[in-house]
Amino acid sequence: MIYGYIRVSSDKQTVENQRFEIEEFCRVNNIIIDGWIEETISGTQSYGTRRLGRLLRRVKTGDTIICSELSRLGRSLFMIMEILSICMKKECIVWTIKDGYHLGEDIQSKVLAFAFGLSAEIERNLISQRTKEALARLRAGGKVLGRPKGAQSRRTAHKLYSKERVIQKMKKDGCTLTEISERLHVSRSTVSHYYTQYMLDQKHILQ
């Protein structure tokens, strides 16, 4: 089976451009799409809750997924790597038109997957190192890190207190504060204040 996968982030965008790119690619390469998967959802959302997740559970050895570019699969490098890993384990081929990737079980695909994985690890280590350096500078400047006395009651009473894990997950997936505020139906300033006031300390820093 050959699947065409299309994703847009909002209903203000159109799927037509991506569909045209895939159809033109298939016409030139004499490929017939057996099924289309289209969805309007942010790429920061877990692929498991998206139609893409259902597709990944359904594909079998020899199946092919064609999309316009890797960013259609996900917004973060870590998520894309996980999706590609699933496809490679199931021996499902992934073609991305703009990127020019043809990922399968061949040695080139494995080398590319290794390169993606190494890049993700380096990115994660750099973020962690920058965080540690920033905390060290704050301590050297005399700033007391952690929650001030009396802050806990204000924190637990805040409307976003129960959403901390959600905020952490979305930030880790690359969401901006504006995207988080829209998802949680609060103002950006509310998210920004809560994040900087209560979450950017030693125990809640996002890495």
Side-chain angles (χ1 to χ4, degrees):
M1 294 285 287
I2 299 177
Y3 300 94
Y5 176 71
I6 297 173
R7 181 188 64 79
V8 292
S9 298
S10 70
D11 54 12
K12 295 180 181 179
Q13 297 174 308
T14 176
V15 302
E16 295 307 315
N17 288 342
Q18 292 179 49
R19 179 182 277 270
F20 174 79
E21 289 174 351
I22 295 174
E23 287 178 339
E24 185 66 13
F25 173 81
C26 291
R27 184 188 66 79
V28 172
N29 291 277
N30 197 28
I31 297 171
I32 298 176
I33 297 291
D34 296 306
W36 291 92
I37 293 85
E38 299 180 3
E39 54 186 345
T40 302
I41 191 170
S42 170
T44 59
Q45 288 278 8
S46 169
Y47 65 85
T49 62
R50 289 152 48 190
R51 292 180 182 174
L52 176 60
R54 293 198 292 272
L55 174 61
L56 293 175
R57 290 190 289 271
R58 186 166 69 236
V59 293
K60 303 183 295 297
T61 299
D63 286 348
T64 299
I65 299 174
I66 302 176
C67 58
S68 63
E69 54 190 324
L70 277 178
S71 63
R72 295 302 94 199
L73 300 178
R75 283 277 296 276
S76 74
L77 180 59
F78 307 117
M79 183 185 296
I80 292 173
M81 277 304 306
E82 188 173 355
I83 292 170
L84 294 180
S85 176
I86 291 173
C87 291
M88 292 182 70
K89 287 178 181 176
K90 301 186 78 168
E91 299 183 14
C92 169
I93 298 169
V94 177
W95 274 4
T96 63
I97 299 171
K98 290 182 179 178
D99 308 305
Y101 295 137
H102 182 201
L103 305 175
E105 274 295 295
D106 52 62
I107 187 64
Q108 290 91 345
S109 298
K110 293 179 180 179
V111 169
L112 186 58
F114 172 77
F116 279 144
L118 182 60
S119 299
E121 183 177 354
I122 292 173
E123 180 181 1
R124 183 171 58 250
N125 290 338
L126 287 175
I127 292 173
S128 177
Q129 185 62 34
R130 286 196 297 269
T131 298
K132 292 176 182 177
E133 291 173 354
L135 291 173
R137 286 195 299 271
L138 290 174
R139 293 192 193 97
K143 182 175 179 60
V144 178
L145 300 176
R147 296 187 299 275
K149 289 185 177 180
Q152 183 60 26
S153 59
R154 295 193 297 273
R155 179 180 191 149
T156 56
H158 199 283
K159 67 172 69 175
L160 294 180
Y161 177 72
S162 62
K163 305 293 185 181
E164 283 192 356
R165 290 183 180 275
V166 177
I167 295 174
Q168 287 179 316
K169 176 65 168 57
M170 286 193 285
K171 283 293 291 180
K172 188 174 182 181
D173 286 342
C175 287
T176 64
L177 293 181
T178 299
E179 290 173 327
I180 294 174
S181 66
E182 291 174 351
R183 196 85 52 79
L184 299 180
H185 305 293
V186 297
S187 68
R188 185 189 185 282
S189 60
T190 298
V191 176
S192 177
H193 177 267
Y194 188 81
Y195 177 65
T196 56
Q197 184 73 22
Y198 298 118
M199 298 182 68
L200 280 182
D201 57 28
Q202 287 176 296
K203 295 182 179 178
H204 296 82
I205 191 84
L206 299 181
Q207 299 184 10

